[in-house]
Amino acid sequence: RLFAKSLNWEDGPTLEVPEDSDIGNAIMAGRCLDVIEIDGASNNSVDQVRDLRDECQYAPTQCRFKIYVIDEVHMLSQQAFNALLKTLEEPPSHVKFVFATTESHKVLPTIVSRCQRFDLRRVASEEIKIHLSSICKKEKANIADEGLSLISRAAEGSVRDSLSLLDQAIVQADMEGSMVSAENIRVMLGLANKARTIELFELAALGSIKAALILIRKLYDDGADAIIMMKDLLDVCHEVSRAKVLGAEALSDMASDQAGLLQEISKKLTVGQLTRIWQILIKSYDEVRLAPL
C-alpha cells in the first residue's frame, strides 16, 4: 500500500506523500478501487488469473496506475503463472504488479526474471521494541520494559508477529490496567518451559541421568509433547554450540538469564562433545518421531 500510495499520489510519484492526500488515505484504508489486493492462496486457478488478465485492460478510475498486489504469490499454480506471463512481459502502461511472498524459491524463474526483486531484511529487536513502546503509550497499555524486550526478541525480526504478540500481552492485564510483568510474558511465550528445557539439556549432557529422567517425567506430566521436547533440545544444543564458538556475541538477542545459563553450559562442554550430542539428538528425534504412541 505504501508503494501504491507513492506511485498514485496526485502530485507524485514520490516517497514523501502528505498526510492530507485523499488518494493516499484511501489506499492506506483499503478503499481505493484501483489498488486491488489478491490472496494468491485462494485465487490460484487459471480461470481466476485469466479474469485478472482481462481486467488489466481497463483504465484506472481514480489513480494514475491500477496496481495489483498479490500476496502469497508462490501459491499460484504453474498454469496460472503461465497465464499471467504474457501480461507481465507486455503490461499495459497503466498497470503495475506487486508480488509478495516468503518463499521466493517457489516462484517460477520465468516470473522472477520479469520482476524487480526486493528482499526485505529482518528488523532489529531494538527497533521493534521502540515501535512497541510507542504503541503502548498510545494505547495506554502498561507492560514492563523487560516484557517488551522479550516480545521483540520472540518476533525474530517480524514486526507483524511482534504486534500479534503485543495484542496477546495486553490481554494479560486486568480491567484496572495493572502492569503486565516480564514473568507474565515469559509464561505467554513459553519461555518458562524453555528454561526447563535448558536445565534438561544440562543434566543430560553432564551425565546426571537420574535427575534428567525425573525432569522428563515432570515435563511429560505437564503436557509436553515428546517430539516438541526433542526439537527444543536440538535448539538448545545449537544455541550452546554458538555460545561456545562466538561467546557473548551469539546470545545478544536472548533474555539475559537464559543467555547466562547457555554461556555457563558451553564452558563445561567441548566442541567435540557438543558435536556428538547434536548427532545423538538428531538420531533420537527420528526414533521418537517413529516410535509407537
Side-chain angles (χ1 to χ4, degrees), residues 13-70:
T14 180
L15 292 175
E16 300 297 331
V17 179
E19 294 184 0
D20 60 354
S21 167
D22 292 335
I23 288 179
N25 290 331
I27 290 173
M28 295 307 293
R31 293 184 279 104
C32 182
L33 298 176
D34 294 323
V35 179
I36 301 98
E37 299 180 19
I38 299 169
D39 176 20
S42 54
N43 296 275
N44 55 10
S45 69
V46 178
D47 290 339
Q48 288 166 321
V49 171
R50 283 175 179 161
D51 291 341
L52 181 153
R53 185 184 61 190
D54 293 339
E55 291 173 8
C56 287
Q57 307 308 316
Y58 299 107
T61 57
Q62 296 173 282
C63 303
R64 183 181 296 106
F65 297 108
K66 181 179 282 189
I67 299 177
Y68 290 89
V69 182
I70 303 182

Side-chain angles (χ1 to χ4, degrees), residues 52-195:
L52 181 153
R53 185 184 61 190
D54 293 339
E55 291 173 8
C56 287
Q57 307 308 316
Y58 299 107
T61 57
Q62 296 173 282
C63 303
R64 183 181 296 106
F65 297 108
K66 181 179 282 189
I67 299 177
Y68 290 89
V69 182
I70 303 182
D71 193 18
E72 304 292 347
V73 71
H74 66 274
M75 296 295 289
L76 295 184
S77 65
Q78 184 169 346
Q79 293 77 11
F81 273 129
N82 290 335
L84 192 59
L85 191 57
K86 187 64 177 176
T87 304
L88 291 180
E89 285 180 335
E90 300 175 3
S93 59
H94 60 268
V95 172
K96 304 291 181 186
F97 287 97
V98 179
F99 296 154
T101 178
T102 53
E103 301 185 49
S104 56
H105 60 281
K106 292 185 179 180
V107 181
L108 293 181
T110 50
I111 297 295
V112 175
S113 65
R114 289 161 174 79
C115 297
Q116 177 67 52
R117 176 171 170 169
F118 299 94
D119 290 306
L120 305 182
R121 66 174 177 83
R122 295 182 184 274
V123 180
S125 58
E126 280 304 314
E127 292 182 51
I128 292 179
K129 181 182 176 182
I130 292 170
H131 183 54
L132 296 182
S133 297
S134 67
I135 292 174
C136 287
K137 288 178 182 177
K138 293 176 182 177
E139 298 292 332
K140 295 181 175 55
N142 198 2
I143 298 179
D145 186 69
E146 187 183 349
L148 292 178
S149 298
L150 292 170
I151 292 173
S152 62
R153 286 192 288 263
E156 297 182 345
S158 171
V159 178
R160 179 178 62 181
D161 290 350
S162 73
L163 294 177
S164 297
L165 293 173
L166 181 63
D167 280 342
Q168 296 175 39
I170 291 173
V171 174
Q172 304 289 323
D174 59 28
M175 296 301 290
E176 298 177 358
S178 63
M179 175 175 283
V180 181
S181 68
E183 189 57 36
N184 295 140
I185 304 295
R186 288 181 194 280
V187 173
M188 182 192 82
L189 297 175
L191 295 179
N193 291 334
K194 185 166 185 178

